[in-house]
Amino acid sequence: MKNISIDEKWTFRNGFVDSLGALEEDPGTEVNLPHDGMIGTQVKPDAPAKSDSGYFVGGLTNYTKYVMIPKEWEKECVGLKFDGIMMNATIDVNGCKVGSQHYGYAPFYVDLTNYVTFGVENRITINCNTSMHVNSRWYTGSGLYRGAMLCHGPKVHVVNDGIFVRTKEVAGGYAFLETEVEVENSTLENRLAEIELAIFKDGEEKPDSVTKKKIYIGSGKSEVARIAMNVKEPLLWDAENPNLYKVKATVKNLGVYRTHFIAEENADIDEAETLFGIRTITADVVRGLRINTKTVKLKGGCLHHDNGLLGAVSLYEAEKRKVRKLKEEGFNAIRTAHNPPSSALIEACDRLGMYVFDEAFDAWGIAKRSGDYSQFFESDWEKDLTSFIKRDRNHPCVVIWSTGNEIPERGGLDNGYRLATQLAEKIRELDGTRPVSNGICSLWAGLDDDLMKNHSQNQNTSEGLIDTTWEKATEPFTNGLDVVGYNYMEEIYERDHEMFPERVILGSENFPKEIGFRWPMVERLPYVIGDFTWTAWDYLGEAGIGKAVYVDADDDVVKTNGWALMPPSGSPYPWRCANDADFDITGNMMPQGAYRSVVWGSKKTHIFSMHPETFGKTEVMTMWGFPALFESWNYSGWEDKNIRLVVFSNAEEVELFVNGESAGRKPVSKERPMPNSVFFDTVYKSGKVEAVSYSEGKEISRAVLLTTGEPANIRLVPEKKEMASSGHDLIYVGIKITDKDGNVVPDAEIELNAEVTGSAVLAGFGSANPITEDNYTDCETISFKGRAMAILRSGYEKGTVSIKVTAKEIGSAEESFEVI
């Protein structure tokens, strides 16, 4: 079927639409999809979800668009295709309910054939409901945040996501493929159809392979055509070589079959195509995870679905930027925590080369929050899991499926053991080419009251792992898994290998500050296939799970080992971001990202300071925290006071220079808690501090911190100079507050105003400050650590767009771009 984007010019309203009168009462606001109906709302101290949602509040919203359904489609099938709607959505056409969808992350299709009127405009209204508090453990956004497609095609057609290409073997200069094409016959007669398959290298017009097959399809039924194909001298896909192919299926309705075949003239033809990659996957305890027979360790990061200043809006340009930056740091894998991602993210991973641990659910039948998906799991899981797997199974970036995260049923409650196997088997029924996993955590929950009485209930600590209770309770839960995901349980990898010598282990979620001493173990143990940090990219909600504070040794907070800092009580309004990631929400690398890159082999030197006020204090940190380090040497008023500097380096030694004088030369630590680091204590003197790394006596690299002047200028740093008039393209414009010499002033907090004119809109404007009341959809913000970000989004008209950013104290800066 043909897919037509209908993202342009919807009318957005708050509230629930149940009649034409409701539409007439409120003119609404014109928006282009994808659109997040929550990100532009005011955060509130009394938000029901508190820090879970970053103090955003859900509600009722709706979208309406009048769509012309051409008269010439009258003998065709018509439908709507969504990549996800947040959440509890109902779809109405001309006042009639035609479909609904609870799970906000699952793709789905709604058949409109029997409801639309051909030759006229039809009203499509979609109501969304995020008011069932509390519906998530993080910020969800709201509405049509992944866009909408109008689909049409002949009565005999390829079903939505109905093509599946799998690599059976690569040998002797050939890739041997098996292709399935699911064809639906919506006529009242039995039919014969011819399916032609053509395989192309992505971007090329000449096919590498073509074949045909005829099949029978009963009236009102669907049938799967199974077609073997081969590709000579195939270009294999992996993260270093993301070679893609396109398969195009052409379905020709040949005619009717009664007691014999009756051919028809001018038979209808349907076409469908999809990207895929040729590659093989295996996993075992001896050779680990192998992609195309090559062992790969997953250098992974968990990702929530939001895009920072854009809210939940998913656009290819935003997802591509995120994947590109993660690859530059050293990541080769992401985990889609804890839900089906957008198709835009998956395509970006395909094209740029990023392995994906593709996850289905955060909750099954036992709730984690009162309004979450558990209410609908029993009735909806199979439908939602099926649509998710069918959408993503052609994508070579997906290397592992996950049935869930920290599922309360892991100890067997609520039929958990049976469900775990049932979900895994359903995935294998749809795709048997990839291993199935689940991110399992310790038993801080998940047991009945009798067993929990004497068990640690501190979330994701090692306290409950001193004996083998966890192994015994969860072993039946792992029955259907090819790879067992361990959340925060690195300490028992080797013990569990002795208990389960054929178990393949994946560090599916781990603390960010521990990568330095954990990663060598991952590399050493063949049955451990990788590690995923929580998290790779900062996100909205779960506000403040990453914190470090510095107090006197006798302060009561020290005794809590960081638990007093945890949300919700430790993250009062207006905490917004998790603050636990390698990149902040604007895409700037954080100190923990610099540290991870060094652990993974980067030869760069990174130097950071700790505020002099923390010197000699006791560090108290949440488990998801990282030391409070700053890329700054601006500490006016603290001259000649003690200060600590921290250097991350992969070299043997580091020498520190303060204003050209050596402050010492030290070996780089190789021991826990922080291998690949050096700590220097000195006294603060404004000017220049420099760290130089050496191996075998030779300089490897160096890094510098400077004392800057006062804020004097605004510098705009656009990441590109033009964008497409597709309504979906973006330009990220970095905003830096600089001194008169052009140095970023790292402690500058300046009020900024943005003005955008021309053929684009200001889609997001703000900073990475994790504690803020900013509305990212307006034109005002305050710089954070000397930086802010503006995101421009194209419309559907060509032209130019200009952005002007102004600060009363230091003037303005302006840039213009082409929209082509």
Side-chain angles (χ1 to χ4, degrees):
M1 299 178 79
K2 290 184 173 63
N3 295 329
I4 303 167
S5 173
I6 53 171
D7 286 350
E8 185 179 6
K9 294 183 179 178
W10 288 69
T11 301
F12 170 74
R13 298 173 175 86
N14 288 301
F16 181 79
V17 168
D18 61 353
S19 66
L20 276 174
L23 296 174
E24 293 168 356
E25 290 173 5
D26 180 2
T29 304
E30 184 178 281
V31 300
N32 291 332
L33 308 183
H35 176 261
D36 179 358
M38 188 183 293
I39 194 64
T41 61
Q42 184 61 45
V43 289
K44 297 180 179 180
D46 60 351
K50 299 181 180 179
S51 53
D52 276 354
S53 65
Y55 293 92
F56 283 91
V57 181
L60 302 175
T61 58
N62 63 86
Y63 298 79
T64 291
K65 182 180 177 71
Y66 286 85
V67 178
M68 169 61 72
I69 307 296
K71 186 73 173 177
E72 52 266 32
W73 294 4
E74 197 161 21
K75 295 183 179 180
E76 295 187 337
C77 294
V78 180
L80 289 172
K81 180 179 179 180
F82 300 98
D83 203 36
I85 298 178
M86 191 61 67
M87 55 184 293
N88 300 316
T90 58
I91 297 89
D92 296 351
V93 171
N94 300 325
C96 177
K97 179 181 175 181
V98 298
S100 63
Q101 171 69 15
H102 292 119
Y103 194 30
Y105 299 104
F108 67 102
Y109 177 84
V110 179
D111 188 355
L112 306 184
T113 307
N114 295 327
Y115 301 99
V116 294
T117 303
F118 295 91
V120 300
E121 287 190 329
N122 291 252
R123 175 172 65 88
I124 300 172
T125 293
I126 300 169
N127 283 290
C128 309
N129 182 356
T130 55
S131 69
M132 299 171 69
H133 305 309
V134 173
N135 59 41
S136 177
R137 300 187 298 116
W138 55 85
Y139 175 88
T140 61
S142 175
L144 301 182
Y145 70 115
R146 293 179 180 174
M149 290 281 185
L150 178 66
C151 311
H152 74 98
K155 296 288 187 181
V156 178
H157 58 267
V158 180
V159 304
N160 180 46
D161 293 324
I163 303 175
F164 180 31
V165 184
R166 53 175 168 262
T167 305
K168 294 178 65 178
E169 184 182 10
V170 179
Y174 285 86
F176 298 95
L177 311 177
E178 187 173 87
T179 304
E180 297 179 3
V181 182
E182 186 178 356
V183 182
E184 183 175 74
N185 172 16
S186 297
T187 74
L188 298 177
E189 299 165 304
N190 302 327
R191 296 275 171 174
L192 291 188
E194 179 184 76
I195 292 86
E196 178 183 280
L197 283 179
I199 291 176
F200 307 79
K201 293 183 181 70
D202 184 36
E204 295 189 5
E205 296 183 359
K206 183 180 179 181
D208 287 51
S209 181
V210 179
T211 191
K212 296 180 181 180
K213 175 173 279 191
K214 292 184 178 69
I215 63 170
Y216 166 88
I217 317 166
S219 170
K221 305 291 185 181
S222 63
E223 190 62 63
V224 175
R226 290 179 169 83
I227 303 172
M229 302 186 74
N230 66 74
V231 175
K232 187 178 181 179
E233 298 177 356
L235 301 176
L236 304 187
W237 188 99
D238 61 24
E240 290 73 41
N241 305 283
N243 300 303
L244 290 172
Y245 286 83
K246 179 180 71 176
V247 59
K248 181 178 180 180
T250 302
V251 177
K252 185 177 181 181
N253 178 8
L254 299 175
V256 176
Y257 185 88
R258 297 183 186 278
T259 57
H260 63 274
F261 173 62
I262 305 171
E264 293 182 345
E265 297 292 330
N266 301 315
D268 295 325
I269 292 178
D270 184 45
E271 293 180 342
E273 61 184 45
T274 186
L275 290 174
F276 76 99
I278 298 173
R279 58 103 185 86
T280 59
I281 304 172
T282 60
D284 60 60
V285 296
V286 176
R287 299 168 298 178
L289 178 69
R290 297 204 304 164
I291 309 295
N292 301 326
T293 72
K294 177 184 176 183
T295 298
V296 172
K297 294 286 187 178
L298 297 178
K299 298 177 178 179
C302 299
L303 283 183
H304 269 312
H305 72 293
D306 77 73
N307 275 306
L309 306 183
L310 297 174
V313 166
S314 180
L315 292 162
Y316 178 76
E317 194 67 19
E319 308 296 3
K320 181 180 75 171
R321 176 180 184 263
K322 187 183 297 182
V323 173
R324 173 176 54 81
K325 284 180 171 286
L326 292 173
K327 283 203 71 168
E328 289 170 354
E329 182 187 331
F331 286 96
N332 67 5
I334 61 170
R335 178 188 182 194
T336 66
H338 300 291
N339 44 259
S342 69
S343 57
L345 176 63
I346 292 296
E347 182 178 348
C349 292
D350 273 349
R351 292 193 178 281
L352 274 66
M354 180 71 76
Y355 300 119
V356 176
F357 181 81
D358 213 359
E359 195 146 71
F361 304 115
D362 189 52
W364 293 355
I366 298 179
K368 293 182 177 179
R369 295 294 185 269
S370 59
D372 67 18
Y373 181 67
S374 63
Q375 306 167 86
F376 313 109
F377 178 80
E378 185 175 359
S379 60
D380 289 6
W381 75 261
E382 188 168 6
K383 167 182 68 69
D384 292 336
L385 184 65
T386 297
S387 64
F388 159 51
I389 300 296
K390 290 181 71 173
R391 187 199 66 180
D392 286 359
R393 61 186 178 177
N394 283 310
H395 294 279
C397 65
V398 177
V399 295
I400 303 174
W401 300 114
S402 172
T403 57
N405 169 69
E406 299 187 354
I407 298 300
E409 290 90 334
R410 60 191 176 276
L413 299 180
D414 197 31
N415 199 31
Y417 295 151
R418 175 71 192 116
L419 275 173
T421 301
Q422 195 174 359
L423 267 69
E425 289 305 316
K426 183 62 184 180
I427 291 176
R428 290 191 186 91
E429 175 188 318
L430 297 164
D431 171 28
T433 69
R434 298 169 173 90
V436 180
S437 187
N438 184 292
I440 309 173
C441 60
S442 60
L443 291 168
W444 47 269
L447 299 174
D448 68 14
D449 289 353
D450 187 56
L451 293 177
M452 285 303 303
K453 287 177 182 176
N454 299 312
H455 207 77
S456 171
Q457 296 174 43
N458 288 330
Q459 182 176 351
N460 289 318
T461 68
S462 60
E463 296 168 9
L465 303 175
I466 55 176
D467 58 27
T468 58
T469 299
W470 180 84
E471 288 85 349
K472 294 172 183 175
T474 61
E475 184 177 3
F477 188 84
T478 68
N479 175 52
L481 304 182
D482 306 296
V483 173
V484 180
Y486 281 51
N487 284 14
Y488 309 104
M489 296 188 292
E490 299 96 327
E491 298 291 350
I492 63 172
Y493 287 175
E494 293 179 270
R495 180 180 82 188
D496 280 17
H497 179 60
E498 293 181 5
M499 294 182 66
F500 311 107
E502 295 303 319
R503 175 177 289 184
V504 179
I505 293 173
L506 172 64
S508 43
E509 193 170 313
N510 292 311
F511 298 123
K513 62 181 178 289
E514 296 182 357
I515 186 64
F517 64 87
R518 300 297 191 189
W519 186 250
M521 176 180 64
V522 174
E523 290 190 308
R524 176 172 57 85
L525 303 176
Y527 52 86
V528 178
I529 64 173
D531 177 279
F532 285 79
T533 187
W534 191 269
T535 57
W537 200 279
D538 206 6
Y539 57 98
L540 310 180
E542 272 192 323
I545 66 168
K547 293 192 192 78
V549 300
Y550 298 82
V551 297
D552 293 332
D554 59 354
D555 194 298
D556 287 343
V557 75
V558 176
K559 301 174 185 177
T560 72
N561 293 320
W563 285 103
L565 306 178
M566 286 291 289
S569 61
S571 299
Y573 180 85
W575 264 96
R576 178 171 297 181
C577 300
N579 196 46
D580 64 348
D582 286 27
F583 287 86
D584 67 33
I585 62 169
T586 68
N588 286 313
M589 186 187 287
M590 302 287 280
Q592 84 176 42
Y595 179 57
R596 187 180 315 280
S597 70
V598 168
V599 171
W600 282 343
S602 171
K603 300 301 181 183
K604 289 184 179 180
T605 298
H606 298 271
I607 183 171
F608 300 96
S609 63
M610 302 183 73
H611 197 287
E613 69 184 6
T614 68
F615 192 87
K617 299 286 187 178
T618 298
E619 182 178 74
V620 182
M621 192 185 308
T622 64
M623 294 189 296
W624 291 270
F626 198 78
L629 307 179
F630 302 96
E631 201 170 0
S632 176
W633 198 239
N634 283 16
Y635 297 108
S636 177
W638 293 87
E639 287 79 5
D640 298 321
K641 300 294 185 182
N642 290 328
I643 190 170
R644 172 163 287 184
L645 292 114
V646 180
V647 180
F648 299 142
S649 174
N650 211 2
E652 294 172 355
E653 296 179 301
V654 172
E655 187 168 11
L656 183 74
F657 295 89
V658 179
N659 295 329
E661 295 184 6
S662 177
R665 187 161 172 163
K666 293 185 176 182
V668 175
S669 173
K670 302 301 179 186
E671 304 300 324
R672 60 190 302 174
M674 192 164 276
N676 300 103
S677 68
V678 186
F679 290 73
F680 290 95
D681 293 339
T682 183
V683 295
Y684 175 68
K685 296 181 183 298
S686 64
K688 174 182 176 181
V689 62
E690 190 167 18
V692 183
S693 295
Y694 301 91
S695 287
E696 298 179 350
K698 297 179 180 179
E699 180 179 331
I700 302 301
S701 59
R702 62 177 61 201
V704 174
L705 296 176
L706 296 173
T707 304
T708 71
E710 295 298 314
N713 300 295
I714 298 172
R715 185 163 79 239
L716 302 185
V717 187
E719 296 184 7
K720 60 184 186 182
K721 294 294 290 183
E722 64 181 29
M723 57 179 163
S725 56
S726 62
H728 292 170
D729 207 355
L730 301 171
I731 294 179
Y732 284 78
V733 183
I735 301 165
K736 297 181 178 180
I737 309 300
T738 65
D739 65 11
K740 62 182 177 59
D741 296 319
N743 301 306
V744 174
V745 182
D747 54 351
E749 296 185 359
I750 304 290
E751 292 185 7
L752 300 172
N753 182 275
E755 180 183 358
V756 173
T757 56
S759 301
V761 297
L762 184 64
F765 187 57
S767 76
N769 192 344
I771 309 172
T772 181
E773 293 182 292
D774 267 8
N775 184 330
Y776 298 144
T777 65
D778 68 18
C779 58
E780 298 177 349
T781 192
I782 298 173
S783 63
F784 179 66
K785 297 182 180 178
R787 301 172 187 266
M789 178 67 69
I791 307 173
L792 304 180
R793 178 174 172 179
S794 67
Y796 291 87
E797 294 183 3
K798 297 179 180 180
T800 60
V801 58
S802 296
I803 179 171
K804 182 179 182 180
V805 178
T806 303
K808 291 181 181 179
E809 301 95 326
I810 56 176
S812 63
E814 189 170 356
E815 287 278 349
S816 295
F817 311 96
E818 295 294 322
V819 183
I820 57 175

